[in-house]
Amino acid sequence: MAHNGHQRGGDDDDAIDGDDETPTKQPRSDDELPASCRRSEPDGEAAAAGGRAPSDGRTSNSTARRRSDSVKKTRPPFPWFGMDIGGTLVKLVYFEPKDITAEEEQEEVENLKSIRRYLTSNTAYGTTGIRDVHLELQDLTLCGRTGTLHFIRFPTHDLPAFLQMGRSKHFSSLHTTLCATGGGAYKFESDFRTMADLQLHKLDELDCLIRGVLYIDSVVSRGPSECYYFENPTDPDRCVQRPYTLENPYPLLLVNIGSGVSILAVYSENNYKRVTGTSLGGGTFLGLCCLLTGCSTFEEALEMASQGESTRVDKLVRDIYGGDYERFGLPGWAVASSFGNMMSKEKRESVSKADLARATLVTITNNIGSITRMCALNENIERVVFVGNFLRVNTLSMKLLAYAMDYWSKGQLKALFLQHEGYFGAVGALLELLHPS
Amino acid sequence: MAECGRADSSSTTHTMDKSITLPPDEIFRNLENAKRFAIDIGGSLTKLAYYSTVQHKVAKVRSFEQNAEVSLYEISEQEEVTARLHFIKFENAYIETCLDFIRDHLVNTGTKVIKATGGGAHKFKELIERKLGLKVDKEDEMTCLIRGCNFVLRNIPHEAFVYAKHADSEFRFQTTHPDIFPYLLVNIGSGVSIVKVTTKRRIFRTTRFDELLQLASKGQHASVDMLVRDIYGGSYGSLGLTGDLIASSFGKSATADKGFSKEDMAKSLLHMISNDIGQLACLYAKLHNLSRVYFGGFFIRGHPVTMHTITYSINFFTKGEVQALFLRHEGYLGAIGAFLKGAEEDNPNQYSWGENYAGSSGLMSVSPEMNPMQRARSGTFDMLEMDRLERQLVNLPLLQDPSSYIPDTMDLTEDALAREYWLSCFEEALDGVVKRAVASQPDIPEAIERSEKFRQKYRHKLQTLRQQPFAYGSLTVRSLLDTREHCLNEFNFPDPYSKIKQRENDMALRYYQKAVKSLEQLSWEQRQFALVRGVLAGNVFDWGAKARPWLVDSYDQWLQRLKGPPHKCALFFVDNSGVDIILGVMPFVRELLSRGTEVVLASNSGPALNDVTNGELQILTERIAAMDPVIQAGLRDDRLTLVQSGSSSPCLDLSRLDKVLAMVVRERQTDLVIIEGMGRALHTNYYARLSCESLKTAVIKNSWLAERLGGKLFSVVFKYEVPPGKPSQEDSSAPSTPS
């Protein structure tokens, strides 16, 4: 759960329903895609060698196909969706089969075809739906079928338009089970039934999250690593992103930063606990930014933050002590009071909106960092994986978290990040459809 | 971290307040003898501390050299000088006026420096130096806070409390654990400091306000925050997260098309900050395995709304394992700490200190939102006075569990009916007390004027307590009595009962030998009963023959016990002068001595009502010894010892007793404690659990209380207890208790 891409201005009816709109054509050439997305070669061997894939890897070789035939009977009918309805964003993953035989093509009902074409031929839906093309996973084998996994998001408040579209595309005629997680699966269950005649299969969001993380990490074993970290986080000049192999991942602390924050200690795929959470999350950052700066989107808020200076807003230790507070080992640059300078009228008048946005980002991020660090100490876990859409295109926060983990733990803690940030819950929901646990 | 005030420009709105509305000599008392100053200047409040001496009358008794027949002993009132700590809290707007006043009234000070702490110390340095001619010596803020916190926890019994918004009494005061360490101190100023205090200090982390909180208390955070139910439609059952929990603070402000009220935003911000601080504090407490977490700082400072949100947050995050504790004198910690730093050569930590109820304004008496009327009346000055006690006070070594010992039988903060009764009772008795005070100083014409001041002061205290029962910690009969004693002392009525006591002692002494003789003629069993009756009836003249069984009656067990081996040593907390001590207690003591039991007689250090004081008891015992060879031998062989309790109260707090008493009790291997009279055995200590045998006796001389306990006026309580696990002479270790 986190932030919407484009703020919608008008009424809800035209949001996602592509029938009235000219879909944005998608660049299809591999050259136009980031290198990370070129996954044209089958690599089933590699995935199998990984050894800890709980389900299929990306493979198209014959062994796998033979094995997959046996699961064909239990295989659910297309389309395959996984959905995570958060407080701010709906995350949708869609598996597009690429190995459709001519026979299948003929059998395929028109409604299914129309949905597939609509989703795969566009990168934007309505004014607020976005397909994250750079994240898509090609040549992925799921339940014996090979295809592409697509990652789509839209704001939760546009869910009615999504349901409207489902209705107009006669989604319910396909008799598919729609696996959904996140709070919205509960909140909007009756809307799905009444507006789109769809029955939701509701799933726990934290179960899905962990399943999704472990799965995606296991299938993305070639090309740019799913998991990465920042080298030299305390030195801005030498701080670089590096791939990280999440081999033998347990125990790990999983911090999911959506609208709010959940912190989980994961000991194995099925053994985890929610350590704590905080309501100061991505929703708080965006909400406060909207109030303080008048901005309206996450991207806008981040853009402002990148241009601002938080030290004009925050009161630092050196603002009070003139330098370090040596007695208690606090460096002069440490924040003594977030927004503390804003108590003074003059300073209030001298800060820009960008400064306020930056201070908000730093405050929220540092707070998550503090709580995470305490949890890691209490649980005695050294590896922390940060996920959630708050981190989407938010290198500032990632570097800050990497810095905070490293600095305050004197190098004991490592902050890790994942490419598919906010989509793990939805992936977990899809997996539940294919492999009911 | 430092408190930071609002912008200078905005403080001009307060210049109209600059004149002090109260007579300042009632606020800055005893300035003429003040030495050692300390000041803590925060964002909006200044706290001034100074050490001074107070001259006041004390009652002394002295034996006549010759056996004069005029009277038993000589009573005199002498001037005595005692040390007192003064703490005054006022708004920064008054600072200049206050400094002027102090400069004009400083007479005898030899001080050259003033210790200063707090964020504003820097800002006002020049002003202070210019006005007072004292050099400002800055002290580290955190260090001062910790020092101050240790001091109040050590010296003020009901310092810490738990806040419960919806309970009958919002403030639940805690017994301070004898060992105050370790604890976590969370100071919420403009930033948050979380400090673990062991005996050494260690820190982990650091990271205009009234109006904001006013706003917050009116707002509805649910319109700004995204709640669990906004995401889930209800609760998140599998995680046990209920629907009204906040999932994302300010989560709605990004999407909602309408604006929010300032109130709602302030409330949301308050929840966000409180929850966050509470969560971090819990994580630290858990990491360091600490169960006591004290919150302070100007974010808390007497604001019910922040105390409530912090309490809620701590309770949520620790599932009730950790309680958020607040301090009654939280606002003074910095000033106390800075003062102690400057007074190191006086060894203030070597002494015990007691809160003076007469000179201290209670908790919340000036808090704006609690009581706006009060604020208008008393100005914005808040005071705390601590008297240096002559003796060091410690726990009675015989308490079964010092950390759970609560002296008081009834907590009037929680019991509204009882509170109403006792407040009225004390109000009605006030005329009599005033009369008695005047009568005790017949030759001093201005006694009447002073007695009227006393009446005003005590009545005002009672009124304050009616509105804020929690003002001085838990409201109890003991605190009402002690406050009255403090107020009497304040107006130089050190011992209104001295002459009455003298007369009654004189009278009773005349009957001593006769009484002893008649007791000796009784059979052993008859005598034991007569001795118990003597102790019970000591101060009730219309006692008559109260038929057994008494309201609480374990006499049979006691008698059975007496048939067994003698006790090693009995500690006897005595009560009244006159018949009680001379014809009730002394024969009882005599019998104990004859049985081979050593006796320690503990009496008050200072006067309270008609209770016998240590000074008086010394003389009385000598006189009795002259008539009675048993007592004489006891004194000579050091088998009868007189000690002072360290208290000047008609009640008894077994956790604050004279250090010498504790030492004697330990040395003599005391195995029996006798507590006598309503104040000590009923209002206090009725439920006290001791690690040795104990006897609590009283006649209920108050019909309301008697009724409460299920009896009538003059019902008898005779409670003999043997601690579980101790072999008693027979197996009746479960004494009856009134319901």
Side-chain angles (χ1 to χ4, degrees):
Chain A
M1 15 169 159
H3 318 286
N4 51 319
H6 306 291
Q7 178 75 3
R8 298 187 49 254
D11 48 301
D12 288 329
D13 296 332
D14 61 347
I16 293 179
D17 191 342
D19 290 346
D20 310 333
E21 298 183 17
T22 313
T24 316
K25 284 294 172 206
Q26 184 197 346
R28 276 311 327 174
S29 139
D30 273 353
D31 293 335
E32 289 174 66
L33 289 172
S36 62
C37 295
R38 283 189 226 121
R39 302 177 201 281
S40 46
E41 288 165 25
D43 54 1
E45 242 57 75
R52 53 198 169 81
S55 45
D56 312 62
R58 278 188 292 147
T59 170
S60 60
N61 68 19
S62 54
T63 334
R65 174 50 70 94
R66 260 200 311 282
R67 181 174 56 78
S68 315
D69 284 342
S70 66
V71 295
K72 193 172 178 180
K73 284 181 220 85
T74 57
R75 200 159 55 200
F78 287 127
W80 293 351
F81 281 110
M83 200 171 193
D84 177 3
I85 311 169
T88 312
L89 279 184
V90 179
K91 282 76 67 177
L92 187 68
V93 294
Y94 168 65
F95 181 78
E96 174 202 3
K98 291 281 198 182
D99 53 359
I100 299 176
T101 58
E103 187 188 351
E104 268 181 318
E105 180 96 38
Q106 281 210 320
E107 283 173 19
E108 194 176 34
V109 292
E110 204 45 47
N111 288 340
L112 182 59
K113 212 169 285 176
S114 133
I115 287 169
R116 178 159 52 90
R117 291 216 184 100
Y118 173 68
L119 289 176
T120 56
S121 57
N122 297 312
T123 56
Y125 314 94
T127 49
T128 60
I130 302 270
R131 179 150 63 86
D132 282 313
V133 179
H134 68 284
L135 291 179
E136 75 178 34
L137 296 175
Q138 298 175 1
D139 295 309
L140 187 72
T141 301
L142 261 177
C143 262
R145 299 301 299 257
T146 303
T148 304
L149 197 56
H150 296 282
F151 298 87
I152 297 161
R153 61 186 150 92
F154 61 89
T156 304
H157 63 74
D158 285 335
L159 195 70
F162 174 80
L163 293 178
Q164 195 59 46
M165 182 197 74
R167 187 194 180 96
S168 63
K169 292 198 180 297
H170 305 288
F171 200 95
S172 60
S173 68
L174 301 172
H175 302 294
T176 185
T177 314
L178 192 51
C179 282
T181 187
Y186 296 79
K187 186 181 178 183
F188 301 111
E189 188 184 13
S190 64
D191 293 343
F192 272 85
R193 208 171 38 240
T194 55
M195 291 176 67
D197 194 23
L198 282 171
Q199 191 65 41
L200 287 188
H201 181 38
K202 303 190 296 296
L203 300 162
D204 181 83
E205 65 174 294
L206 299 180
D207 286 342
C208 288
L209 174 71
I210 289 173
R211 208 167 166 189
V213 167
L214 297 172
Y215 173 77
I216 293 290
D217 182 62
S218 73
V219 295
V220 184
S221 53
R222 286 182 62 179
S225 173
E226 172 69 14
C227 185
Y228 58 95
Y229 71 102
F230 289 91
E231 199 176 64
N232 307 316
T234 52
D235 181 352
D237 298 331
R238 297 195 302 135
C239 178
V240 280
Q241 189 174 327
R242 294 267 185 236
Y244 186 85
T245 320
L246 203 56
E247 264 177 326
N248 198 9
Y250 309 112
L252 68 84
L253 205 64
L254 184 59
V255 183
N256 185 34
I257 318 176
S259 307
V261 181
S262 276
I263 300 180
L264 317 176
V266 187
Y267 301 99
S268 75
E269 188 184 353
N270 300 313
N271 179 15
Y272 75 89
K273 65 172 180 183
R274 183 177 187 271
V275 180
T276 189
T278 168
S279 67
L280 278 81
T284 316
F285 164 64
L286 182 56
L288 284 177
C289 269
C290 291
L291 291 175
L292 288 169
T293 70
C295 73
S296 52
T297 69
F298 183 59
E299 286 76 5
E300 231 181 301
L302 274 186
E303 175 59 24
M304 266 200 277
S306 69
Q307 288 159 14
E309 185 62 68
S310 62
T311 52
R312 286 200 277 264
V313 179
D314 294 339
K315 184 167 288 210
L316 307 185
V317 168
R318 68 160 175 264
D319 294 333
I320 298 170
Y321 283 86
D324 298 346
Y325 186 7
E326 279 159 24
R327 197 186 136 72
F328 294 114
L330 288 171
W333 52 258
V335 180
S337 172
S338 297
F339 282 80
N341 279 342
M342 296 301 91
M343 288 186 281
S344 141
K345 194 165 177 252
E346 289 150 46
K347 290 196 169 149
R348 269 204 298 280
E349 280 158 0
S350 73
V351 295
S352 67
K353 287 183 170 183
D355 294 339
L356 289 169
R358 178 63 163 254
T360 310
L361 187 78
V362 169
T363 300
I364 298 292
T365 307
N366 276 340
N367 188 61
I368 295 170
S370 282
I371 293 173
T372 301
R373 198 173 59 81
M374 291 307 299
C375 289
L377 277 173
N378 273 330
E379 302 301 322
N380 204 13
I381 296 177
E382 288 181 357
R383 252 179 319 190
V384 185
V385 179
F386 291 94
V387 296
N389 269 326
F390 173 63
L391 300 174
R392 194 173 61 79
V393 296
N394 187 358
T395 317
L396 274 176
S397 286
M398 287 192 278
K399 285 190 175 172
L400 259 173
L401 286 170
Y403 181 101
M405 290 303 108
D406 188 87
Y407 181 87
W408 295 109
S409 75
K410 301 187 174 68
Q412 287 297 296
L413 285 175
K414 197 168 205 79
L416 304 171
F417 305 92
L418 299 174
Q419 302 282 2
H420 286 84
E421 287 136 2
Y423 282 108
F424 299 108
V427 171
L430 172 65
L431 293 174
E432 185 62 32
L433 170 73
L434 305 178
H435 304 276
S437 53
Chain B
M1 303 295 292
E3 294 174 17
C4 289
R6 58 200 145 188
D8 296 2
S9 52
S10 66
S11 63
T12 48
T13 53
H14 284 262
T15 44
M16 52 184 280
D17 290 341
K18 276 197 176 175
S19 62
I20 295 175
T21 46
L22 274 185
D25 54 336
E26 280 193 16
I27 297 159
F28 298 101
R29 308 196 315 155
N30 299 311
L31 260 183
E32 55 280 7
N33 297 313
K35 55 175 194 170
R36 303 205 188 290
F37 283 85
I39 195 162
D40 173 10
I41 309 177
S44 53
L45 293 174
T46 295
K47 282 78 68 176
L48 181 79
Y50 57 89
Y51 175 89
S52 186
T53 48
V54 202
Q55 194 170 33
H56 60 92
K57 287 203 166 74
V58 288
K60 296 273 178 192
V61 290
R62 194 163 60 96
S63 202
F64 285 113
E65 313 223 323
Q66 245 92 61
N67 232 352
E69 285 303 310
V70 222
S71 63
L72 182 58
Y73 48 77
E74 183 188 24
I75 305 168
S76 62
E77 288 185 351
Q78 295 167 9
E79 294 288 332
E80 200 177 76
V81 173
T82 53
R84 186 176 288 178
L85 287 177
H86 294 260
F87 303 97
I88 301 115
K89 184 159 75 181
F90 50 89
E91 287 185 4
N92 287 356
Y94 292 97
I95 197 163
E96 206 165 333
T97 321
C98 289
L99 291 176
D100 283 339
F101 182 85
I102 293 165
R103 182 198 52 210
D104 295 344
H105 290 79
L106 270 184
V107 189
N108 299 325
T109 189
T111 309
K112 294 274 181 287
V113 295
I114 178 166
K115 290 280 177 190
T117 186
H122 195 72
K123 191 168 141 196
F124 291 99
K125 180 175 189 282
E126 196 270 332
L127 182 73
I128 298 168
E129 295 194 332
R130 181 161 47 84
K131 293 270 179 191
L132 296 184
L134 300 175
K135 187 179 162 295
V136 169
D137 197 359
K138 280 193 74 176
E139 286 295 329
D140 175 72
E141 192 173 356
M142 255 344 273
T143 317
C144 289
L145 281 178
I146 295 163
R147 229 178 243 273
C149 191
N150 292 344
F151 183 82
V152 292
L153 286 176
R154 251 194 234 114
N155 289 289
I156 304 183
H158 276 163
E159 180 57 34
F161 61 87
V162 167
Y163 184 78
K165 188 183 176 187
H166 301 296
D168 287 344
S169 62
E170 292 168 289
F171 302 83
R172 274 185 291 129
F173 292 91
Q174 308 289 300
T175 331
T176 310
H177 196 277
D179 184 7
I180 61 169
F181 304 112
Y183 64 86
L184 201 65
L185 177 62
V186 183
N187 188 55
I188 317 174
S190 52
V192 181
S193 291
I194 301 178
V195 196
K196 174 184 174 185
V197 186
T198 52
T199 36
K200 299 174 300 186
R201 291 143 214 149
R202 198 181 146 198
I203 195 166
F204 304 125
R205 190 198 106 116
T206 49
T207 57
R208 216 8 251 267
F209 191 65
D210 281 349
E211 297 137 51
L212 182 61
L213 291 176
Q214 291 278 13
L215 279 181
S217 58
K218 294 180 209 135
Q220 292 292 326
H221 73 99
S223 59
V224 184
D225 291 341
M226 187 183 284
L227 308 185
V228 168
R229 79 167 108 86
D230 292 324
I231 301 176
Y232 272 83
S235 64
Y236 184 177
S238 63
L239 286 182
L241 302 176
T242 56
D244 55 1
L245 285 176
I246 303 168
S248 174
S249 298
F250 283 87
K252 279 185 195 155
S253 54
T255 50
D257 28 19
K258 61 180 169 67
F260 299 101
S261 74
K262 286 179 178 165
E263 286 85 354
D264 292 352
M265 287 192 280
K267 184 78 161 204
S268 169
L269 197 56
L270 172 70
H271 277 259
M272 174 174 114
I273 303 276
S274 301
N275 282 336
D276 195 44
I277 293 168
Q279 179 170 31
L280 281 167
C282 290
L283 287 166
Y284 281 108
K286 189 178 170 200
L287 186 64
H288 295 273
N289 203 17
L290 300 169
S291 56
R292 278 167 285 175
V293 184
Y294 299 104
F295 287 86
F298 83 124
F299 182 75
I300 302 287
R301 213 137 290 170
H303 297 291
V305 64
T306 59
M307 287 196 285
H308 175 65
T309 51
I310 289 274
T311 301
Y312 179 87
S313 155
I314 293 283
N315 196 38
F316 175 78
F317 284 114
T318 68
K319 298 179 179 70
E321 278 169 34
V322 174
Q323 279 190 319
L325 295 167
F326 304 95
L327 300 172
R328 204 146 58 85
H329 298 102
E330 180 280 317
Y332 289 110
L333 301 186
I336 293 174
F339 172 83
L340 291 173
K341 183 78 177 72
E344 262 166 351
E345 60 194 73
D346 290 337
N347 284 321
N349 275 326
Q350 212 177 60
Y351 296 94
S352 288
W353 298 80
E355 180 180 10
N356 187 311
Y357 294 139
S360 304
S361 8
L363 179 68
M364 303 254 157
S365 54
V366 294
S367 171
E369 61 208 279
M370 280 298 290
N371 204 330
M373 296 301 292
Q374 190 93 9
R375 181 189 168 102
R377 197 179 51 207
S378 68
T380 46
F381 288 79
D382 185 90
M383 292 170 288
L384 165 65
E385 293 183 8
M386 304 274 296
D387 285 328
R388 191 175 81 192
L389 308 177
E390 278 173 55
R391 327 271 298 192
Q392 242 189 305
L393 302 182
V394 296
N395 268 310
L396 179 69
L398 298 169
L399 282 177
Q400 212 173 69
D401 175 16
S403 59
S404 67
Y405 168 72
I406 299 167
D408 306 286
T409 306
M410 217 186 291
D411 186 344
L412 304 183
T413 22
E414 284 174 11
D415 190 334
L417 273 175
R419 177 167 74 237
E420 184 47 42
Y421 170 77
W422 286 109
L423 283 171
S424 306
C425 184
F426 276 84
E427 241 158 39
E428 281 160 24
L430 189 51
D431 279 344
V433 177
V434 170
K435 247 180 232 154
R436 179 106 55 204
V438 176
S440 72
Q441 298 177 346
D443 309 325
I444 310 173
E446 42 88 42
I448 295 174
E449 196 188 319
R450 273 188 287 119
S451 75
E452 280 310 311
K453 281 187 182 162
F454 156 74
R455 185 207 297 276
Q456 260 179 21
K457 182 123 196 172
Y458 190 55
R459 183 176 286 155
H460 180 245
K461 292 276 168 196
L462 290 175
Q463 280 163 358
T464 306
L465 288 167
R466 212 178 263 280
Q467 285 172 355
Q468 290 136 276
F470 44 79
Y472 299 96
S474 287
L475 181 65
T476 59
V477 175
R478 176 169 64 105
S479 71
L480 286 168
L481 284 164
D482 288 356
T483 306
R484 192 167 72 187
E485 294 299 323
H486 289 179
C487 289
L488 280 167
N489 281 329
E490 194 60 36
F491 294 100
N492 274 319
F493 294 107
D495 193 358
Y497 281 85
S498 57
K499 297 234 165 56
I500 297 168
K501 287 189 287 182
Q502 183 193 40
R503 206 166 52 235
E504 287 178 355
N505 284 334
D506 194 27
M507 182 91 96
L509 272 179
R510 290 170 211 260
Y511 289 95
Y512 179 78
Q513 274 173 307
K514 200 177 154 206
V516 166
K517 193 175 263 173
S518 68
L519 281 166
E520 275 178 341
Q521 282 163 355
L522 297 173
S523 70
W524 181 84
E525 241 182 83
Q526 282 175 327
R527 187 164 71 246
Q528 300 316 312
F529 187 66
L531 285 168
V532 165
R533 270 194 49 170
V535 169
L536 285 167
N539 49 13
V540 187
F541 294 108
D542 50 357
W543 140 268
K546 286 285 153 197
R548 289 187 57 209
W550 296 318
L551 181 57
V552 177
D553 191 339
S554 28
Y555 177 74
D556 292 340
Q557 289 91 318
W558 170 246
L559 187 70
Q560 208 55 36
R561 172 65 186 87
L562 289 180
K563 289 174 182 165
H567 294 93
K568 172 84 183 57
C569 172
L571 168 66
F572 201 137
F573 287 99
V574 301
D575 187 21
N576 296 343
S577 301
V579 176
D580 183 22
I581 182 76
I582 295 166
L583 302 180
V585 174
M586 279 303 184
F588 198 96
V589 167
R590 190 174 188 278
E591 181 78 11
L592 285 171
L593 288 170
S594 310
R595 275 169 61 82
T597 302
E598 290 178 32
V599 179
V600 178
L601 280 181
S603 52
N604 268 4
S605 301
L609 297 177
N610 63 334
D611 291 0
V612 64
T613 63
N614 187 250
E616 289 157 356
L617 190 55
Q618 299 272 1
I619 296 169
L620 295 180
T621 312
E622 274 166 37
R623 299 294 287 268
I624 291 170
M627 298 184 271
D628 184 345
V630 179
I631 299 291
Q632 190 168 42
L635 285 175
R636 186 191 58 222
D637 304 340
D638 203 22
R639 294 177 53 247
L640 171 61
T641 316
L642 305 187
V643 294
Q644 43 181 307
S645 64
S647 153
S648 305
S649 160
C651 293
L652 179 64
D653 179 353
L654 296 176
S655 66
R656 279 168 78 80
L657 291 175
D658 194 291
K659 204 174 178 179
V660 175
L661 182 153
M663 201 186 69
V664 171
V665 159
R666 214 179 278 120
E667 272 173 6
R668 311 230 158 165
Q669 297 168 320
T670 304
D671 53 356
L672 173 66
V673 174
I674 304 169
I675 307 177
E676 181 215 4
M678 277 202 16
R680 293 175 181 79
L682 271 187
H683 293 316
T684 54
N685 299 308
Y686 189 76
Y687 298 113
R689 299 233 158 259
L690 298 169
S691 59
C692 66
E693 290 168 56
S694 65
L695 197 53
K696 297 166 189 170
T697 75
V699 175
I700 311 175
K701 294 178 286 181
N702 172 297
S703 49
W704 183 88
L705 183 62
E707 213 168 285
R708 262 262 167 145
L709 299 175
K712 291 197 179 90
L713 187 63
F714 303 124
S715 289
V716 170
V717 170
F718 187 90
K719 196 178 183 187
Y720 167 62
E721 290 170 298
V722 180
K726 290 262 170 166
S728 95
Q729 290 329 107
E730 59 139 72
D731 53 354
S732 59
S733 53
S736 53
T737 41
S739 51

